[in-house]
Amino acid sequence: MQMKFFFLMAAVVLAGSTLSAQVYTPSGSQTTASDQEEAQHLLAGHRYLPSIYFPNPLAVPTFEFDLGFGSGSITRDYQFSTRELKLGTLGPKVEAQIKIFDRLVVIAGIAGNIVMGLDNESIAFYGASAKTRPRLGLLYQITKEEHSAISFGMEWEKPQMIQASPVEALSRTVESALGGPDQPLTDKVETDRWRPTLRGAYAFNPAFGLSAFLGMNVDTENFNNVESESSQYLLGASFDADFKPLARIPVGFSLTYRYSDRANGDGDPTNIFTMGIFETFSNQFNAGIEVGQATSGSDSLMVGSIVTRYYY
């Protein structure tokens, strides 16, 4: 039921953006080149607040630096027992949108994170992992009107992760010593990922705006030299408010939801819900913090990020 509600919400925003783009007629008022440059990232005077979990709906030049963090518990099966592990994570993300043509930008960036156990049991069974995720793509602005915008993105990512678990390493060493096959002491995962996304945004006025996206991850994964293929459905919706146009208070607020699920139905879907608060002194730069929760089955993590975005 929850997935259907947010899928419907995302579809409504995208459909509303399409309809608005079809019926909106510009007022005919003349603007200067500097006015247009300043307003390129605004819809109806509204600026969209950044999020580490939500893609930018506008194909405009930007630079972002984010620092994500989180902690919580996950459940994993080890040998003949099930363990609840307490983990913490920390990682930066740098990304830029570089203008190529009037409606086309190149997306280039890299993200990384470290995950580690937070108590003795988690350190022994999970150990620690490190992940990098370079990204390259294109974002094309299909339409952009006074109140609405629709864009299409195609991105390629190369996530690479290495994990070292003391318990797993010891178990594999013993198995090899007893005549079993040689196994690596660490797990290495490399993924080739393609992600098409359809993104829409609608601004009611300078204070309030909605955005949504639909997409898919198409993965080819190599786990310790064993390849497999999988895909995930993605969707999300976001609402943000800027109190500066209403009450001259330079503070913004955001609510964001993101959903993902494997196309073949294996595993549990992942739900991420965050709330954010931002400073909105300038239309060219915004910084803030978002916190929330990520859940997948019985796994639950508190997540957060410090986010910044500069329009150039």
Side-chain angles (χ1 to χ4, degrees), residues 52-206:
I52 198 172
Y53 305 105
F54 204 88
N56 192 342
L58 302 178
V60 295
T62 62
F63 177 82
E64 295 188 24
F65 176 79
D66 308 324
L67 182 64
F69 53 87
S71 65
S73 61
I74 65 172
T75 303
R76 292 293 181 269
D77 293 327
Y78 289 92
Q79 302 298 331
F80 301 103
S81 64
T82 300
R83 304 279 178 169
E84 182 175 335
L85 308 178
K86 300 183 185 301
L87 305 178
T89 179
L90 180 69
K93 172 188 172 185
V94 179
E95 183 174 291
Q97 292 188 173
I98 305 166
K99 184 176 180 179
I100 303 299
F101 300 111
D102 186 38
R103 294 187 174 190
L104 183 67
V105 297
V106 169
I107 302 170
I110 186 169
N113 72 298
I114 296 174
V115 180
M116 61 185 66
L118 297 180
D119 59 18
N120 291 336
E121 182 181 30
S122 303
I123 292 171
F125 282 88
Y126 183 88
S129 65
K131 185 176 185 179
T132 59
R133 196 175 74 246
R135 174 187 298 180
L136 189 64
L138 295 172
L139 181 63
Y140 178 71
Q141 199 78 63
I142 300 172
T143 65
K144 186 174 186 289
E145 303 295 341
E146 183 181 25
H147 289 271
S148 65
I150 299 173
S151 60
F152 176 78
M154 177 62 77
E155 298 169 272
W156 169 83
E157 288 185 345
K158 184 74 172 181
Q160 300 178 71
M161 184 187 77
I162 185 169
Q163 179 185 356
S165 164
V167 169
E168 285 291 326
L170 179 60
S171 175
R172 294 173 186 181
T173 300
V174 172
E175 288 182 13
S176 298
L178 295 177
D182 290 334
Q183 301 181 65
L185 299 183
T186 60
D187 289 327
K188 185 177 181 181
V189 184
E190 293 186 352
T191 305
D192 276 305
R193 172 174 295 158
W194 291 93
R195 180 190 297 124
T197 53
L198 181 65
R199 314 175 188 187
Y202 185 86
F204 299 98
N205 50 46

Side-chain angles (χ1 to χ4, degrees), residues 229-241:
E229 295 183 351
S230 64
S231 57
Q232 284 183 316
Y233 298 123
L234 308 171
L235 66 91
S238 179
F239 168 80
D240 57 44

